[in-house]
Amino acid sequence: MADRVEMRVGGVGRDEDRARGGLAWALVLLALTLLLVVVRRQPPAPRAASAPAAEFSAGRARQVLQTLVGDGRPHPVGSPANDQVRSRVMAVLSGLGYKPEVQEGFACHYRSAVCGRVRNVLARLPGREPGRAVLLASHYDSVPAGPGAADDLTGVAAVLEIARILKAGPAPRNTVLLLIDDGEEAGLLGASAFLADNPAAREVKAVVNLEARGSSGPSLMFETVSPDAWMIPLWSRGASHPVTSSIYVGVYRRMPNDTDLTEFRHRRIPGLNFAFVGEPTHYHTPLDSFANASPASLQHHGDNGLAAVRGLAGADLSSPPPGDAVFFDLLGLGVIRWPVGWTLGLALLGLVLVLLAAARAVRGGAASGKGVALGALALPATLVATVALGWVLNFALALAGVFPTTWVAHPLPAVASFWLLALAVTVLVTARLGAPAGLWVGVWLDWAILGVVVAALAPGFSYIFVVPSLVAGLTGLLAGVGGPGPRLVPALAAALLWLPLIVPLFDGLGPIALIPIAAVVAALLSSFAPAFAAARPAARRALWQGALALVVVSAVIAVLTPRHSPRAPRIVNLMFHQDATTGEARWLVRGSPASPAALPPGLRAAATFHGQPEAPFPWSSPQSRAFVSPAPVLAAPGPEIAVLASSVAGGTRTLRLRLTSPRGAPEVTFYVPAAARLEALKIEGHDALGSADAAGPYGGWYSATDVTLSAGGCEVEAVLGEASPQDWYVVDSSRGLPPNGRRLLLARPPTATPGFNGDTTLVSRKVRI
């Protein structure tokens, strides 16, 4: 009897050792998968200028990029510096044997009522079958604050290197049009003008667009224009390192962001969009420079663009097949895809396989009904607990001022705290929900059911549930639900699909992604719940307590880490504003966002700023606040509105106006009160209220802007539903501060930088119209 008891105790010990070893293997394999994903997401090494002529070379393209950037001045639409960049683009194309043309036109943004005159560069590589063309596009203008080396002269340099390769090769089946357009930053103006006015636009059957929202990172294929199922393989077969997901496409379609491809999407022209998003603190600032533009990202961009253009230029563009695809890359080795129509069937198959494995487990006694019910609680319970605690953690970090702006210099400790929180919660919750077999059945039933639901509602998102459910069902049928294989294999399949989406989530969305990061990490870790549950209680306790301790350590590091640095500064724009009606002048400082802590001490000492930020203009929204200080008056005349014609009929007033800037400012904006009931608006004969979004007043005001105001001004036609006179405001804007603003410029610390529109001088006038 004593011998039998000893043997049983020894057996339990061996089971516990295997369980502990299983937990260790789960953690090691998860960590290795994460490391593999991070490594495989890196862009490829840049090829030297001596690379074979038929290959894309970042070395050659970077030489072109350096030429385009020139002295590094910003070159917004309409500026002399922009004219110089365009001349350099023309010279490169001419040197390659193309005959580039300049298309001049006027356009208005479809949503924001921003208008301007643009000058696009267009070149053509004739195909063997004329009449249909693939368009390769990028934009050459920058924001006023930065030189735009990555956004988007890297795209332009890639287009020019691709143009060299294509010109040296055999003629493609379809014509390739190169569109290097203007005015994208102001509101997609160049793309709009091309589509509205250039006859070549009628030839375009597919578009490849190269963009950037940062200065480094992999070139992601993040947007498609339907139908996309036929385009994905044409690109991916020639891409050496594809990084993409139909989830990127689905998320981007739900965001308010735009690129030039948006204009083609509105006209239902199929297309592929590529961008890199690393180091977002450089975006739209002076740090978007040649020195900071990643050669590896340029290489990846060029490889992708060349593969996409070659694939599409060789395809039958006469009648592309309909339908979208569900797709994702597998560690950059290739793209797995299937038609959207297959998705629900695959999801149902996964559910059937998991149900069969579950039935076998219950019949065989490995899992009980109660155990399955408890296991099914693992995913929802983990998510609820993680989101709740994530909200608390997020609130604490916000209270400590960890993210005073969208982007900070060192976000990793804060991001890590949310990953670790998800790990601690998952281990703690799942340890209390029954035996491993019951957890396996319950968790994978949840995943399979979610796969069916998501496949029905948003098929592009579904593969992250469908594929692991299929793997779980197969392994459960083949090996049962109790062994280490069924516990780990489907979980690793999930990790391979989820981690490439989670790793870049913060770079893509910023601090608003922190709680979602915790939630999706917890959802992924629920697939490891059976492995966690199989471990000894002491091991589980050590794991969740250790993870929770690291949450605290990471959060403390995040609190103590400097928020900004010269390499990753925050945006602080300086403005001079003069009211031509009252004669008053002010300095304004705007941060991102404006808050009492956003005004650096040096700037506060450089002028007599009020203690708190305020809405500086009658048309300012409550969120658009600035620190205000009196300033010396500038001898500058205000903008003017001349009424050329006015008529009233049936309670509707029709106006024809001319806006001018006597001081020669390149940009003018006018604000019309909501009480005027603006019904129609044209600037230089172009509709400036092209959508319901633009037609509605924002904060009680309609607004419209001409970003390329000529010396003669611009003509405006307006139809108002209110016939009585109203007070309008007109504001002209020029770049930089007047000479007496030098003290403020010197007081801005190295951890702050101008961004987007940068430092500006504004002169406003109130006019009774």
Side-chain angles (χ1 to χ4, degrees), residues 242-380:
V243 180
T244 189
S245 168
S246 52
I247 292 180
Y248 295 159
V249 175
V251 170
Y252 189 78
R253 286 176 181 171
R254 290 161 173 81
M255 294 175 67
N257 304 54
D258 290 326
T259 70
D260 280 330
L261 191 65
T262 304
E263 292 291 326
F264 294 90
R265 186 182 72 228
H266 290 161
R267 291 161 176 81
R268 300 184 183 277
I269 299 174
L272 303 174
N273 212 353
F274 299 87
F276 46 88
V277 300
E279 295 188 271
T281 51
H282 296 168
Y283 179 59
H284 284 179
T285 74
L287 290 174
D288 186 6
S289 62
F290 175 77
N292 289 331
S294 166
S297 298
L298 174 55
Q299 180 67 53
H300 202 192
H301 230 24
D303 288 344
N304 278 330
L306 180 60
V309 170
R310 277 177 168 166
L312 292 167
D316 180 4
L317 300 180
S318 59
S319 55
D324 288 338
V326 176
F327 57 90
F328 55 92
D329 75 275
L330 188 61
L331 296 175
L333 300 172
V335 174
I336 297 173
R337 59 186 170 84
W338 59 77
V340 162
W342 292 13
T343 306
L344 186 56
L346 290 171
L348 289 169
L349 176 60
L351 178 58
V352 169
L353 292 174
V354 171
L355 284 170
L356 290 173
R360 178 181 293 181
V362 172
R363 283 198 307 267
S368 66
K370 180 181 178 181
V372 171
L374 286 173
L377 290 175
L379 178 56

Side-chain angles (χ1 to χ4, degrees), residues 210-251:
L210 302 182
E211 257 291 358
R213 205 230 51 194
S215 61
S216 66
S219 173
L220 312 173
M221 202 287 283
F222 70 97
E223 183 188 14
T224 66
V225 179
S226 298
D228 63 24
W230 67 281
M231 293 187 293
I232 303 301
L234 294 176
W235 156 63
S236 62
R237 288 172 189 155
S240 60
H241 191 76
V243 180
T244 189
S245 168
S246 52
I247 292 180
Y248 295 159
V249 175
V251 170

Side-chain angles (χ1 to χ4, degrees), residues 351 354 375-380 440-451 465 469:
L351 178 58
V354 171
L377 290 175
L379 178 56
W440 189 100
V441 174
V443 164
W444 287 110
L445 278 174
D446 285 344
W447 277 64
I449 291 169
L450 281 172
F465 294 107
S469 298

Side-chain angles (χ1 to χ4, degrees), residues 49-321:
S50 57
E55 296 180 0
F56 187 95
S57 160
R60 289 188 290 260
R62 195 159 166 81
Q63 292 172 359
V64 173
L65 176 62
Q66 188 170 28
T67 299
L68 298 178
V69 173
D71 60 6
R73 283 185 294 163
H75 51 282
V77 59
S79 66
N82 206 37
D83 294 338
Q84 295 174 8
V85 174
R86 183 176 61 257
S87 296
R88 295 168 193 150
V89 171
M90 297 280 288
V92 173
L93 285 170
S94 297
L96 294 174
Y98 289 87
K99 297 179 180 179
E101 302 173 355
V102 175
Q103 175 208 357
E104 184 170 341
F106 193 90
C108 295
H109 186 251
Y110 76 98
R111 191 172 65 205
S112 64
V114 173
C115 306
R117 186 162 300 280
V118 293
R119 294 168 179 83
N120 297 329
V121 177
L122 187 70
R124 173 185 297 267
L125 180 67
R128 300 191 307 273
E129 299 178 7
R132 289 179 287 273
V134 176
L135 184 77
L136 177 59
S138 60
H139 69 89
Y140 70 90
D141 63 302
S142 75
V143 295
D151 179 24
D152 192 28
L153 290 182
T154 289
V156 175
V159 168
L160 295 175
E161 169 68 355
I162 292 169
R164 180 198 63 77
I165 295 169
L166 296 177
K167 187 72 172 178
R173 176 179 180 178
N174 301 298
T175 295
V176 176
L177 294 174
L178 308 173
L179 175 64
I180 302 173
D181 64 57
D182 194 9
E184 191 271 351
E185 299 291 3
L188 320 182
L189 303 182
S192 177
F194 170 76
L195 286 165
D197 303 328
N198 199 310
R202 293 191 291 270
E203 300 176 51
V204 178
K205 305 302 178 185
V207 182
V208 177
N209 189 59
L210 302 182
E211 257 291 358
R213 205 230 51 194
S215 61
S216 66
S219 173
L220 312 173
M221 202 287 283
F222 70 97
E223 183 188 14
T224 66
V225 179
S226 298
D228 63 24
W230 67 281
M231 293 187 293
I232 303 301
L234 294 176
W235 156 63
S236 62
R237 288 172 189 155
S240 60
H241 191 76
V243 180
T244 189
S245 168
S246 52
I247 292 180
Y248 295 159
V249 175
V251 170
Y252 189 78
R253 286 176 181 171
R254 290 161 173 81
M255 294 175 67
N257 304 54
D258 290 326
T259 70
D260 280 330
L261 191 65
T262 304
E263 292 291 326
F264 294 90
R265 186 182 72 228
H266 290 161
R267 291 161 176 81
R268 300 184 183 277
I269 299 174
L272 303 174
N273 212 353
F274 299 87
F276 46 88
V277 300
E279 295 188 271
T281 51
H282 296 168
Y283 179 59
H284 284 179
T285 74
L287 290 174
D288 186 6
S289 62
F290 175 77
N292 289 331
S294 166
S297 298
L298 174 55
Q299 180 67 53
H300 202 192
H301 230 24
D303 288 344
N304 278 330
L306 180 60
V309 170
R310 277 177 168 166
L312 292 167
D316 180 4
L317 300 180
S318 59
S319 55

